[in-house]
Amino acid sequence: MTLLLSAADDQQVTEREKQERDRFTRMPQEERQEICETSLLQCAAFYGLEGLPSQKFSDQVRRIGTVVDSIPLDRLIVICQKAMKIDPLAIIDDMKTRNYPRNRTKSPDQDILKLIGEVDNIAANWDSTKKGNIKLPGQDIQVNDVEMFQKLLYLNDLRNFLINDANFACQRCSLFQEHFTYIHDKRNLQGKCDELRLKLSTGGLLLSQDYSDRIKLLRRLNYIDDSNLVSLKGRVACEIHHQELLITELMLDNKFHYRSTAEIAAMLSVTTCQHRLREGECRKDKEGEVIQTPPVLKELKDDIIEVCNRIGRIQRECGVKDVDISEELSFGLMHAVYEWASST
């Protein structure tokens, strides 16, 4: 569905609205749906199911038209009886022409200006309670299908109930809008809390794709068996409380077996060191000379990177979207820890 909307001819306002539309378009589908439903609900509660907020148009500001494409049909609330003869293609062409910077100051076509004036007039004088303003569902079509006829009856009965202010005494409260906003926000937060509780519960985890992917990863690495029972390798990992997969793999791949205490300490330092050497940065002594790194440290680093790459590859194959383990490691203190542990 394509809509022609009336708007003030203000470049700053137009640019701001364009930015808001772009930001809205980039939002996740669920968030966009929530915003639309909230807007429709608030409008219906504050101004009536088929009502509009009061419209005031200044004679000092020129009004122009703007076309909004791809409006879902479920956003349609009501159709008014007012009919106007228009040329949709001419309107769209005029809008596209005025989108070019050099044509923005160009006055719209007179027929379009007349149409925009009619739209503004309808909005300013809109009264949904006035008989004949609204096109009731099904009144302009002949329905022969019984099921469809029953649906139309139900729809009209529901509409009559919702537009009857006597059914909603709360709207007569002087603080209705504040109370409505408070209750609506509270229910939204409560719903999000319930959703988080479900995701964190055992039942929610079992239904989670991320949980399934992590189970698959643990099974591939032999931390659990086909019955999801923890293996000996998994029990070893349970005793480690930081970088469990990396340290367990290093241990059981015999990366520590032939290493000295100083070398093992240097290897483990990469999991706790927070200092990161900048690219090309080297350690220097007091005289400013570059300290040569022992060849064994390169071997240790290669062993760690090899295991990290293997874990990362299996993670990707299992669909686990964790940060690459190697990005959480820092090799900046390996040399210092090696020398300290060697008492040199």
Side-chain angles (χ1 to χ4, degrees), residues 227-245:
S227 301
N228 291 344
L229 297 177
V230 180
S231 63
L232 177 61
K233 188 177 182 181
R235 292 179 184 177
V236 173
C238 289
E239 299 299 322
I240 303 171
H241 303 291
H242 182 63
Q243 293 290 359
E244 299 87 350
L245 296 183

Side-chain angles (χ1 to χ4, degrees), residues 85-344:
K85 292 183 178 180
I86 62 172
D87 184 354
L89 295 179
I91 294 174
I92 294 174
D93 289 341
D94 184 80
M95 295 297 108
K96 289 181 178 179
T97 301
R98 297 187 72 257
N99 280 336
Y100 292 102
R102 66 175 182 273
N103 295 328
R104 283 176 182 167
T105 57
K106 178 183 175 182
S107 179
D109 185 83
Q110 289 301 315
D111 291 337
I112 296 178
L113 287 176
K114 182 179 178 181
L115 176 61
I116 293 170
E118 288 285 347
V119 172
D120 286 343
N121 183 56
I122 293 174
N125 300 288
W126 179 253
D127 182 3
S128 60
T129 61
K130 187 176 179 180
K131 188 175 181 180
N133 271 358
I134 302 296
K135 187 181 288 293
L136 298 178
Q139 73 173 22
D140 55 347
I141 59 175
Q142 184 176 358
V143 180
N144 297 321
D145 184 73
V146 176
E147 184 178 356
M148 178 61 69
F149 183 75
Q150 290 177 341
K151 288 182 178 180
L152 286 173
L153 285 179
Y154 171 76
L155 181 60
N156 281 294
D157 289 342
L158 181 60
R159 171 188 174 273
N160 292 333
F161 175 80
L162 293 175
I163 64 175
N164 188 354
D165 293 340
N167 295 323
F168 305 97
C170 59
Q171 290 183 316
R172 293 192 286 272
C173 173
S174 59
L175 299 176
F176 171 69
Q177 292 195 10
E178 289 82 350
H179 293 165
F180 178 90
T181 303
Y182 170 76
I183 295 298
H184 180 267
D185 293 344
K186 181 179 179 181
R187 289 178 66 87
N188 270 350
L189 291 175
Q190 185 63 48
K192 291 178 180 178
C193 288
D194 293 341
E195 184 178 352
L196 287 174
R197 288 194 187 97
L198 174 61
K199 288 182 178 179
L200 294 175
S201 66
T202 303
L205 286 175
L206 291 175
L207 297 174
S208 167
Q209 183 62 42
D210 183 59
Y211 175 82
S212 301
D213 293 338
R214 292 178 185 275
I215 289 293
K216 191 188 304 181
L217 171 65
L218 294 177
R219 192 177 295 121
R220 283 280 303 274
L221 292 173
N222 296 320
Y223 287 83
I224 57 176
D225 59 21
D226 292 338
S227 301
N228 291 344
L229 297 177
V230 180
S231 63
L232 177 61
K233 188 177 182 181
R235 292 179 184 177
V236 173
C238 289
E239 299 299 322
I240 303 171
H241 303 291
H242 182 63
Q243 293 290 359
E244 299 87 350
L245 296 183
L246 174 61
I247 296 176
T248 303
E249 293 297 318
L250 288 171
M251 290 174 58
L252 299 184
D253 281 358
N254 289 328
K255 300 297 185 182
F256 295 155
H257 188 66
Y258 299 104
R259 298 297 180 183
S260 66
T261 304
E263 292 169 349
I264 294 174
M267 294 179 76
L268 293 177
S269 71
V270 305
T271 65
T272 57
C273 175
Q274 297 180 356
H275 172 70
R276 290 182 177 272
L277 289 175
R278 292 187 295 271
E279 187 175 354
E281 183 180 0
C282 300
R283 294 182 65 233
K284 298 181 180 180
D285 57 19
K286 295 180 180 179
E287 286 74 26
E289 295 183 3
V290 176
I291 300 176
Q292 297 299 323
T293 302
V296 68
L297 294 185
K298 185 179 184 307
E299 296 177 11
L300 301 179
K301 183 176 180 180
D302 290 342
D303 285 345
I304 294 172
I305 292 176
E306 176 192 343
V307 173
C308 285
N309 290 340
R310 176 158 52 85
I311 295 174
R313 175 177 54 79
I314 298 176
Q315 280 183 335
R316 290 188 293 273
E317 291 174 357
C318 295
V320 176
K321 298 178 177 61
D322 264 352
V323 177
D324 197 328
I325 294 178
S326 60
E327 296 181 7
E328 299 179 346
L329 305 180
S330 175
F331 299 89
L333 284 182
M334 278 190 74
H335 194 177
V337 171
Y338 176 74
E339 291 182 346
W340 169 78
S342 301
S343 300
T344 57

